[in-house]
Structure formats: structure tokens, C-alpha cells
Amino acid sequence: RELSNFDYLMKLNEMAGRSYNDLNQYPVLPWVLSDYASPTLNLADPAVFRDLSKPMGAQDPAQADLVRQTYEQFDDPDIPRFHYGSHYSSAGAVLYYLLRLEPFTSEAIRLQGGRFDVADRLFDSIPETWRSCMSNMSDVKELIPEFYTLPDFLRNDAQLPLGTMQAGNALGDAHLPPWAASAEGFIEQHRAALESEHVSEHLHLWIDLIFGCKQRGRAAAEALNVFYYLTYEGAVSLDTLGPQQREAVEAQ
């Protein structure tokens, strides 16, 4: 293969105007696995992979039924129908993932008015984050490039005081799947999954959802891939909004 899946996706992000310099348009990459519980990862087994033909909010059949009902039952004269009130890519999601690295640490603190968010809402575990995306209609975020390239974001090398969860667990390094013995091991196996034959054969389906023909319109509705209207470019003129309104819209 002349071009890796990672490099191809990064090129698509660049062509779509996404950049490491813009938290609101940060590069977006897919979750490619669905197995974050097994002691070993078998990339020859199709069952370990996420369904790339469906958005994150529709991976679970029961969840898919709920988002379909949300869309069909929504009726507002001013707001178009949508499946999801949140988005697969946002500044908040980037800061959630990269909390342990500067300059994202400082940005996350600034976002919370000068302190860290409560510990139970911080990024603590890859398996738990996956489970949240499977069961929470307001949590449909995809991944960022660092999940395939940078083990550092998974470690609390700076010994940040991230707090203690209600269950009594102090936050430190992010918890990994059992099949990853270290942050480096996670990145190595996760990147191998992205470059696998299974993902290569199905990646175009995810690209249709994020960059292609299923972003908007009837195709998006049929694919359960319609997001709140303010998340789409051109939905509102930012220059007509006040500072607080603009910040709220950009956060979408």
C-alpha cells in the first residue's frame, strides 16, 4: 500500500479544513475497535472491530432505535430534526482526551473557570470512554490522531492533581484495555488495527459519514447521522452574534 490509512485520513482532514491549530476543527479519526476487554487482541477476528458503516451513536442496536425515535418524533418549527444533540468532534472532546498534555491542560482549566472539572467527568479510561459512547446518546465523540501516534497523552507524567472520583479512585494515568501492557503497547496495537485489512476494506464507509455523501440530507437521515443544526458550517452567521452567543455556538 503506497499510503497508510492514517496518512490518508490525515490528508482528508487537511482537505476538509481541519488542523491541529484549531480545537474546533481538530483532525478527527475513527474508533476502529470494539474490543476493549479481552486480554489479547486478535486482529484476524472481524468481531473485534467497530462497524464503520454506522456513526458512534448507532453502534448498539438499542441505541440506534432510540436515536431513530428521537429524529422521527422531534417537531420544532425553528429547529431541523436531528439524531444527536452533541457532535463527534469538538474542542471539548479534544481537551477531554489531551487533558494530561500542555497546552491542552491549561486550556481545559481555563474552560472550567480556573480549575479542573470534577474527576468523574475527566478522561480516566479508554474502555470506559468506549462504553460511554455505546450507551450515552449525548456522547458520540470519535477519536483524534494522538490515539494512533502519541503514548504520552495517556500518562500523567506531570503529576497533575486531577482529583478523586466518587468511587474513591484517584486519577493518574489513563486506564488501558487489558490487551495493552503499556501506553506504547496500546498505540502500537491500535495503529496496527487502523492499518489492518479489515479496516482498509471498510474505511470508505466511515469516510462517507464524516467527509462524504452521508454528511447531510436524506442519506445522512437514513444513516442515523444527523447532528444538531448549529454544528454544520453555514448554519448561522457568527459575525451577527454577541461574544457569549458566539462562544456557545462555537462550542457545538
Side-chain angles (χ1 to χ4, degrees):
R1 189 184 304 143
E2 292 185 6
L3 191 66
S4 70
N5 289 337
F6 179 85
D7 289 338
Y8 181 53
L9 289 170
M10 291 305 295
K11 193 62 179 179
L12 283 177
N13 273 279
E14 179 185 341
M15 294 173 67
R18 290 182 170 270
S19 165
Y20 285 115
N21 298 319
D22 187 349
L23 291 178
N24 288 303
Q25 289 293 324
Y26 205 78
V28 57
L29 269 71
W31 292 88
V32 296
L33 293 171
S34 63
D35 185 354
Y36 298 92
S38 298
T40 59
L41 184 62
N42 180 12
L43 296 181
D45 181 3
V48 306
F49 293 95
R50 166 253 182 109
D51 187 344
L52 290 166
S53 71
K54 299 176 181 177
M56 282 302 296
Q59 293 291 308
D60 179 76
Q63 181 99 333
D65 287 340
L66 286 175
V67 299
R68 185 180 291 107
Q69 291 175 26
T70 297
Y71 182 87
E72 293 174 350
Q73 296 174 7
F74 187 79
D75 185 17
D76 189 289
D78 301 315
I79 300 175
R81 287 181 173 181
F82 59 90
H83 295 109
Y84 315 104
S86 61
H87 202 251
Y88 57 79
S89 174
S90 67
V94 176
L95 295 178
Y96 172 81
Y97 287 137
L98 298 181
L99 174 70
R100 293 165 176 82
L101 290 181
E102 287 288 9
F104 308 100
T105 303
S106 295
E107 281 296 309
I109 291 172
R110 185 189 66 81
L111 184 66
Q112 293 297 324
R115 57 175 176 78
F116 287 112
D117 198 357
V118 296
D120 286 87
R121 290 202 291 260
L122 299 180
F123 176 45
D124 175 58
S125 164
I126 294 172
E128 286 301 322
T129 299
W130 168 259
R131 281 191 280 271
S132 175
C133 292
M134 291 299 94
S135 60
N136 187 346
M137 289 177 60
S138 64
D139 188 2
V140 295
K141 55 183 172 287
E142 293 280 2
L143 299 183
I144 54 177
E146 286 80 357
F147 272 82
Y148 298 97
T149 60
L150 188 67
D152 305 66
F153 87 97
L154 295 168
R155 292 190 292 258
N156 187 19
D157 288 339
Q159 297 297 303
L160 299 170
L162 301 177
T164 301
M165 304 176 75
Q166 290 185 11
N169 305 322
L171 267 67
D173 297 344
H175 292 284
L176 306 172
W179 46 259
S182 65
E184 288 80 5
F186 171 79
I187 296 297
E188 181 181 3
Q189 294 192 74
H190 204 217
R191 181 65 175 266
L194 177 63
E195 304 299 340
S196 68
E197 286 303 314
H198 180 91
V199 171
S200 296
E201 292 171 359
H202 297 86
L203 189 56
H204 66 284
L205 301 171
W206 183 84
I207 291 171
D208 284 346
L209 295 171
I210 306 301
F211 299 107
C213 61
K214 295 182 180 179
Q215 291 182 81
R216 297 193 184 197
R218 181 176 178 180
E222 292 175 349
L224 305 182
N225 195 44
V226 180
F227 297 85
Y228 190 64
Y229 78 106
L230 289 179
T231 64
Y232 293 96
E233 184 177 5
V236 64
S237 175
L238 296 178
D239 293 335
T240 65
L241 303 178
Q244 291 185 332
Q245 287 179 307
R246 179 167 182 148
E247 184 176 357
V249 170
E250 287 180 337
Q252 287 284 342

